[in-house]
Amino acid sequence: MVGGLHRSRACVVPLLLALAVLLAVASAGGCARRAALVEQAKVEALAERLKAAEGLKSAVVLVPTGGGGNANGGDAGERWAPTARVFVERLELADERARDAADAGASLSATQLEVAQPAAGSSPAPRPAAGTIVFIHGVFADGVSWRFVTGDLAHDAERLLLIDLLGCGRSDAPDPDDLGPYGYSPSSQARRVLEALRATLPARASLAEQGSPAGGGPPPADVVLVGHSYGAAVVLRMWGDDRLRGQYADVLSRVDRVVLLSPVDLHVHAPDPRMARLARVNGFDIFFLQRTGLLRRIVEEQTVGSAPEGTEPLVEEAAKRLEFLTEPAKRRALQAMLMQIGTIGPDLRPDWRAVERVERGYARVTPPVLVLHGSRDEVTPLAGAYKLAGELPRARLVVMEGAAHSPQIERPEETVLWLRRFIDGGLDALPSRARGWE
């Protein structure tokens, strides 16, 4: 789509300028703040959250998945892609209920991801508000991006599942040419996530086993899906893509809540110039910038510039961006994800049929939805969140004042608060107005 345009490698200065605007979302004021990057362990509030997350019991699995799909809802033909493994990490409280669970390694099979049961004769623990909370990250990220909220939210569910999308983190990163023109599209990513969930979700608890929460309120949610940015678009395609909705009805019927954090609305009128430039960066560009030290400098400066006021720019976030740029397989997968969004045509104009197909799919999202969005998000504008919340059948928008594109990193405590309210009480627990309590 945008990757076939030729550009002379002699134009080093334009290349640097392009990278400077595409590697992160830099606010004009942010770039002027020449603050230094900080290690997350040296930020007291974040260090406490990391300690809580590290205390959780972890089990990991690489789930073999094979799926094609295409960004246009499957009605332009479908190609079955080669098998590729999707990484899933299960986290749960390391308490008496989980004490006997087997410690996991990378070779753990999907069938071994079972819920630890209380010992016979022991008194039951208080019922969490959810069975499983599933987290799906955005671009330039992986499951590690949820590290500041998992320690808290593990108290709200029997288990957490952190999924690395294909091409990210510890999932496989097949060559885009091997997967076909839609192998990294939101629909194809959604298919692989649904396959991984079918393999790893425990059996649904009966109504008698679920019980009722103390003090009344809605029954516990079986599955809660949380998607950030591009991951939110992947979640929406699970219902919007007719084939996926039919083939994975057994998984989708278990989802009782959906959280869209800084969601990408695929109704776009032109490609983001930063993303279009990123899609054209090649291995020679990266090699040259690495050898001269310019790549690290640019990434670090833009990480500082993208940190919203009142938050520390983190060394670890800059390192993650560098990882995606310097590892060839991950960079090609990232570029394919950007090029296969599916609502921009080859002439760089909107593909209106594709846009309208995606928007019609919003009406098929049946669970209640919390749209959580920062007021200073420069990647996915706040206006798109209002639009999306208005088009979903059962949705409520909550605006986090002063937050930017990644509230789970910038404002983890407030993010946990809103997720907890929604998971515990559904839409009735949220304010009717997007900005502030009434």
Side-chain angles (χ1 to χ4, degrees), residues 25 138-139 227-233 260-268 272 274-275 341 371-388 397 399 403-407 410:
V25 184
V139 297
H228 173 237
S229 189
Y230 176 88
L260 305 178
L261 188 60
S262 309
V264 172
D265 179 15
L266 297 184
H267 185 153
V268 291
D272 185 325
R274 296 164 296 191
M275 298 300 105
I341 287 292
V371 180
L372 194 59
H373 211 282
S375 66
R376 297 184 181 182
D377 190 336
E378 296 182 23
V379 178
T380 55
L382 179 57
Y386 278 96
K387 172 184 172 294
L388 185 58
L397 170 63
V399 177
H405 187 61
S406 299
E410 305 151 3

Side-chain angles (χ1 to χ4, degrees), residues 209-342:
E209 291 172 321
Q210 288 184 26
S212 298
D222 186 12
V223 176
V224 179
L225 287 183
V226 183
H228 173 237
S229 189
Y230 176 88
V234 170
V235 169
L236 290 173
R237 296 308 294 151
M238 294 178 182
W239 282 271
D241 186 307
D242 293 337
R243 295 195 181 193
L244 297 182
R245 194 172 67 258
Q247 292 173 5
Y248 298 93
D250 58 317
V251 178
L252 294 175
S253 65
R254 299 182 57 178
V255 178
D256 295 314
R257 309 268 198 282
V258 171
V259 179
L260 305 178
L261 188 60
S262 309
V264 172
D265 179 15
L266 297 184
H267 185 153
V268 291
H269 291 81
D272 185 325
R274 296 164 296 191
M275 298 300 105
R277 293 186 185 108
L278 175 56
R280 296 199 300 268
V281 173
N282 57 38
F284 177 86
D285 300 330
I286 298 299
F287 174 78
F288 173 79
L289 292 171
Q290 260 190 299
R291 291 298 297 264
T292 59
L294 290 171
L295 183 63
R296 178 174 295 278
R297 174 182 170 186
I298 292 170
V299 170
E300 290 181 349
E301 288 184 354
Q302 294 305 310
T303 302
V304 170
S306 65
E309 185 177 351
T311 63
E312 300 287 356
L314 299 178
V315 169
E316 292 76 11
E317 291 304 298
K320 182 60 64 176
R321 293 168 182 174
L322 278 170
E323 174 186 314
F324 273 91
L325 290 169
T326 56
E327 294 187 18
K330 288 186 177 180
R331 174 176 55 79
R332 288 193 293 268
L334 171 65
Q335 291 173 316
M337 289 166 65
L338 296 174
M339 292 189 289
Q340 295 176 20
I341 287 292

Side-chain angles (χ1 to χ4, degrees), residues 58-62 87-88 102-110 112-113 170:
S58 172
V60 301
V61 60
L62 283 165
F87 178 86
V88 182
D103 204 6
S107 61
L108 186 67
S109 69
Q112 289 176 277
L113 286 181
R170 286 176 278 183

Side-chain angles (χ1 to χ4, degrees), residues 339-373:
M339 292 189 289
Q340 295 176 20
I341 287 292
T343 54
I344 295 292
D347 58 355
L348 303 187
R349 295 184 60 253
D351 180 343
W352 289 112
R353 290 186 179 181
V355 169
E356 291 159 4
R357 188 180 296 114
V358 168
E359 291 180 325
R360 283 196 300 271
Y362 295 159
R364 305 185 185 107
V365 181
T366 51
V369 179
L370 164 61
V371 180
L372 194 59
H373 211 282

Side-chain angles (χ1 to χ4, degrees), residues 93 97 125-131 153-159 210 213 219-221 423-424:
L93 292 175
R97 293 174 300 149
R127 176 73 188 179
L153 291 174
H155 294 270
D156 296 82
E158 294 283 353
R159 69 205 64 81
Q210 288 184 26
I423 293 169
D424 288 352

